[in-house]
């Protein structure tokens, strides 16, 4: 089988597919409150197109798919799409969701064998939830969290750590891993908030986050990191789950990156920080054969930046000002 390998010898086996750029929350680190220009519906990849891409990538050795967005469950007939991708026989399907619309689908997600759900939750305080997401959905998300735990689907929590917004939540959020079998992952804030503003010195760098965790939980013990993992995981004796820290801004993990991304409009990105390599939707709609699409995917990996810093430096337009909802995180 032909494999997807980049110009640095890294094998690609993980696709992150953003199925929509729409969202029902307005997390301030991801989207501006107003003035968002959504991709016109006809420009979004159709489900059949996405399934075709998944199948082609599966033939090139991709085993893992993460469905993200925007909010995936906001896209019409999302469950129908999930049935379609599950039928491809791909080894692992994961979903990242804000948990506002997920609850009714949990039994079917389990039946379909969804391997894990990443639930985004940045605080345990309803008012801070409102100030971060600009929406009043805290109770719904917490209820979804409990339903996911009951369902037995592997659950991870993503919390973006933001100066002046939710630092007081680090300890209580880590406490979720004490009380429930969940991995709670603290993510450095990245400059993808849709308005172009960025901080060059990140106040809540991964090392600061670990310092807080260590002072609260002296037994914190670093676990061996999987080579392609973006999160450094920790264990605390007596905890049911684990704690993780993702150095998404510091980019400590690029050397072993095994992932590519496809945006809702079909742009292939070989790095979160690049500006896109080519549009696979355009090729599909021009009638490209499977062989032509496969060749384009292989070619796209032949000039991949070695890390997120190089990818960012190569961009024509700086600073990065996109919304994460168009990239998928
Ligand atoms: N709407 C879904 C959700 O929120 O889980 C999926 C899409 S969201 C863009 C995917 C992940 O990216 C979320 O965990 C979110 O917290 C994270 N994210 C968004 N903007 C970010 C930023 N500027 N820095 C770090 N993480 C970010
Ligand atoms: Fe929506 Fe997720 Fe972005 Fe929040 S992080 S605005 S839930 S896409």
């Amino acid at each position: 089988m032909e494999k997807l390998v980049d110009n640095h010898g890294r094998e690609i086996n993980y696709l992150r597919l953003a199925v929509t750029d729409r969202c029902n929350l307005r997390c301030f680190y991801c989207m501006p409150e107003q003035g968002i220009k959504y991709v016109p519906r006809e420009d979004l990849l159709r489900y059949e197109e996405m399934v075709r891409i998944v199948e082609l990538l599966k033939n090139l050795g991709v085993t893992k798919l993460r469905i993200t967005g925007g909010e995936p469950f906001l896209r019409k007939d999302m469950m129908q799409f999930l049935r379609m991708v599950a039928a491809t026989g791909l080894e692992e399907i994961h979903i990242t969701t804000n948990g506002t619309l997920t609850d009714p689908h949990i039994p079917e997600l389990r039946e379909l064998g969804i391997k894990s759900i990443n639930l985004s939750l940045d605080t345990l305080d309803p008012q801070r939830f409102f100030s971060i997401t600009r929406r009043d959905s805290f109770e719904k998300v917490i209820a979804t969290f409990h339903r996911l735990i009951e369902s037995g689907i592997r659950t991870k929590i993503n919390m973006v750590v933001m100066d002046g917004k939710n630092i007081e939540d680090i300890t209580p959020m880590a406490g979720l891993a004490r009380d429930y079998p969940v991995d709670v992952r603290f993510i450095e804030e990245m400059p993808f908030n849709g308005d172009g503003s960025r901080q060059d010195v990140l106040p809540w760098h991964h090392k600061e986050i670990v310092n807080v965790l260590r002072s609260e939980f002296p037994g914190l013990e670093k676990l061996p990191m999987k080579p392609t993992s973006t999160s450094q995981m920790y264990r605390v004796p007596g905890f049911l789950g684990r704690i993780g820290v993702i150095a998404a801004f510091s980019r400590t993990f690029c050397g072993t990156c095994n992932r590519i991304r496809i945006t809702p409009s079909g742009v292939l990105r070989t790095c979160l920080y690049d500006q896109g390599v080519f549009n696979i939707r355009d090729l599909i709609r021009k009638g490209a054969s499977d062989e032509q699409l496969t060749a384009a995917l292989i070619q796209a990996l032949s000039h991949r930046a070695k890390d997120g810093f190089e990818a960012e430096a190569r961009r024509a337009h700086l600073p990065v000002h996109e919304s994460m909802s168009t990239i998928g995180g």
Side-chain angles (χ1 to χ4, degrees), residues 187-191 198 200-202 204-209 245-254 273 307-309 312:
I187 309 180
E188 285 180 351
E189 186 179 355
M190 292 179 267
R198 71 177 286 168
D200 282 320
V201 180
L202 187 70
W204 286 89
H205 188 268
H206 60 281
K207 290 188 183 152
E208 312 298 333
I209 302 171
V245 179
I246 304 183
F249 184 79
S250 309
R251 290 162 253 186
T252 50
F253 41 69
C254 298
Y273 286 84
D307 58 29
F309 296 102
E312 194 176 6

Side-chain angles (χ1 to χ4, degrees), residues 5 8 18 34 64 93 114 170 189 201 204 217 222 227 238 262:
V5 181
H8 304 282
Q34 280 162 354
K64 175 172 174 182
I93 304 172
I114 298 304
I170 296 178
E189 186 179 355
V201 180
W204 286 89
F217 308 107
K222 204 172 190 176
I262 295 186

Side-chain angles (χ1 to χ4, degrees), residues 23 29-30 68-72 96-98 120 158 160 187-190 192 324-325 328-329:
C23 192
Y29 52 77
C30 176
T68 174
E71 174 46 40
T96 301
T97 175
N98 65 25
S120 300
N158 287 348
V160 180
I187 309 180
E188 285 180 351
E189 186 179 355
M190 292 179 267
F192 295 104
M324 190 66 99
S325 64

Side-chain angles (χ1 to χ4, degrees), residues 48-96:
E48 310 76 63
E49 292 169 335
M50 292 192 235
V51 170
R52 185 169 173 207
I53 295 167
V54 167
E55 277 174 334
L56 291 173
L57 286 169
K58 180 172 172 251
N59 292 338
L60 286 169
V62 168
T63 54
K64 175 172 174 182
L65 170 68
R66 173 167 306 280
I67 292 166
T68 174
E71 174 46 40
F73 290 98
L74 204 55
R75 179 126 184 205
K76 194 163 168 267
D77 299 327
M78 180 60 201
M79 292 309 294
Q80 187 191 324
F81 172 61
L82 283 178
R83 282 176 222 124
M84 288 160 77
V85 271
T88 64
L90 199 71
E91 250 169 64
E92 295 183 25
I93 304 172
H94 305 254
I95 304 173
T96 301

